[in-house]
Amino acid sequence: MAELDSARVDAWLWAVRVCKTRSAATSACRAGHVRVNGERAKAAQPVRPGDEVRVRLHGFDRILIVRRPIVKRVSAELAAAAADDRTPAPPPREAVASVPLRDRGAGRPTKRERRDLDRLRGR
């Protein structure tokens, strides 16, 4: 396999299995969910070794450092070796405030329930 000096960011995201399809990676770039070295990236922007790629997927940012630019799907071991994942670990469930949920179809809260919710939230 010939060693590349750069690759398109959408092809690289697809090759390292961040996005399921290349068109999904292109759509993420078009929507502004991909940043390369802090700048919004278009799909054809080249990435080189050492570049930081931030991808916003499912409401969370993944931070990846490009180790090796690849453009084709390769084995999982080679794909993992092409990117260094610097994404911070999610906070523990105990640290995240729980949101009280209402049963589906229960309608709007009554005045009493709203006051109880406000008291619970500290308002």
Side-chain angles (χ1 to χ4, degrees), residues 10 13-14 18-31 33-34 55-57:
D10 61 342
L13 289 172
W14 169 69
V18 174
C19 297
K20 283 190 175 188
T21 63
R22 184 163 172 188
S23 63
T26 304
S27 298
C29 292
R30 198 174 300 127
H33 298 301
V34 178
V55 184
R56 185 140 186 97
L57 291 174

Side-chain angles (χ1 to χ4, degrees), residues 58-81:
H58 311 296
F60 297 101
D61 280 345
R62 287 195 60 192
I63 303 168
L64 304 163
I65 305 296
V66 179
R67 283 190 188 164
R68 205 169 53 122
I70 56 175
V71 293
K72 297 285 184 190
R73 293 285 283 218
V74 292
S75 67
E77 296 85 23
L78 291 176

Side-chain angles (χ1 to χ4, degrees), residues 109-120:
T110 64
K111 192 172 194 176
R112 182 178 189 176
E113 290 171 334
R114 184 185 52 80
R115 286 181 177 159
D116 290 340
L117 286 171
D118 287 344
R119 197 173 305 116
L120 178 67

